[in-house]
Amino acid sequence: MKVLLVDDDPALLEVLGAYLEGAGFEVLVAEDGEKALELFPTADLVILDLMLPKVGGLEVARILRRERPELPLLILTAKGEEEDRVLGLELGADDYVVKPFSPKEVVARVKALLRRAGLKEELVYGPLRILPKARQAYLEGRPLSLSRLEFDLLLTLAQHPGMVFSRERLLEKVWGPDFPGVDRVVDVHIASLRKKLGDDPENPRFLETVRGVGYRFKDLDAPLP
């Protein structure tokens, strides 16, 4: 799991980052709001300070909630007044911690938020089994040899069965907002992923093409037409 830690205090980033890594998380670090907006598409949870240079924490929170409403958000700030806590929660924060704090407490809250967010230990769709933490997928019990991008692409789609993702959205979520490539790179990776899944594009078990829009992971629980 990737935790994005956003604060302009290098000492805090170092200490809290070490505690999060010790708890098994991959830590992404941003010292200002601008960098946070670059990194958040790949994060599973965001710890956000409100007092940030370049782009303020409140504006970052607004954008996070608009772009990824499901993303767990923990606000971490020196502001302890009730009105600031209320404002942060109104902007969609899932929890609020006031400095100074115990790093162990923050780690505990992160784990609780992820549990509440319903992030699963594994995803199972018929013969396909995906282990997000281990970054491994199995088809009919056999491990699939997937590249990092192929796995991230599969996981992104499989976490939202039935939801259509445009190529632009997949580029942003899997490759990152600064990737200089074109939409065609998504098609190439989908084709490779389908081959490894043994998926027939004309009669797919897993990955469906929505013509003129993008791709979706087939909702195996949906009623037949």
Side-chain angles (χ1 to χ4, degrees):
M1 292 294 174
K2 295 181 181 179
V3 174
L4 173 56
L5 179 55
V6 188
D7 200 290
D8 61 349
D9 182 348
L12 182 147
L13 293 175
E14 182 178 357
V15 172
L16 184 53
Y19 271 85
L20 289 165
E21 288 176 348
F25 296 104
E26 179 180 346
V27 180
L28 308 174
V29 171
E31 295 187 2
D32 57 64
E34 190 174 274
K35 186 66 175 179
L37 294 176
E38 293 178 7
L39 295 176
F40 90 89
T42 63
D44 298 302
L45 179 143
V46 176
I47 301 175
L48 177 69
D49 185 23
L50 288 183
M51 302 297 292
L52 294 172
K54 296 186 179 180
V55 180
L58 294 178
E59 180 60 20
V60 171
R62 290 188 183 97
I63 294 172
L64 296 189
R65 275 295 162 258
R66 184 177 70 239
E67 298 293 327
R68 292 188 60 189
E70 82 288 353
L71 184 67
L73 176 61
L74 170 66
I75 286 185
L76 186 70
T77 179
K79 289 190 172 182
E81 293 81 2
E82 182 178 0
E83 61 183 31
D84 294 310
R85 291 197 296 270
V86 171
L87 180 57
L89 295 172
E90 286 179 346
L91 286 172
D94 299 289
D95 203 350
Y96 195 111
V97 178
V98 179
K99 300 175 185 177
F101 57 83
S102 162
K104 290 183 179 179
E105 178 189 358
V106 175
V107 171
R109 294 197 183 204
V110 165
K111 291 179 177 179
L113 285 177
L114 289 172
R115 284 195 300 270
R116 293 207 301 269
L119 295 173
K120 298 180 179 179
E121 294 290 331
E122 67 176 16
L123 302 172
V124 179
Y125 298 104
L128 179 63
R129 179 169 171 248
I130 304 170
L131 305 178
K133 289 184 178 180
R135 295 187 60 80
Q136 180 63 63
Y138 297 83
L139 182 63
E140 297 175 346
R142 297 189 299 272
L144 293 172
S145 179
L146 303 179
S147 70
R148 180 184 67 82
L149 289 171
E150 287 170 346
F151 182 85
D152 288 343
L153 188 58
L154 176 62
L155 182 60
T156 296
L157 292 166
Q159 284 177 323
H160 306 280
M163 180 184 296
V164 180
F165 285 81
S166 69
R167 291 170 177 82
E168 295 83 359
R169 184 62 173 149
L170 288 171
L171 275 175
E172 179 182 327
K173 288 182 69 64
V174 177
W175 280 263
D178 295 327
F179 180 71
V182 294
D183 295 353
R184 176 63 179 161
V185 73
V186 176
D187 299 334
V188 171
H189 280 77
I190 286 287
S192 175
L193 188 53
R194 276 178 167 156
K195 185 176 181 180
K196 293 180 179 181
L197 290 169
D199 227 8
D200 180 359
E202 299 302 320
N203 186 26
R205 288 190 296 173
F206 305 112
L207 303 180
E208 294 184 310
T209 299
V210 182
R211 299 194 183 281
V213 183
Y215 299 99
R216 69 182 166 204
F217 191 88
K218 192 171 183 178
D219 189 348
L220 302 184
D221 294 325
L224 295 174

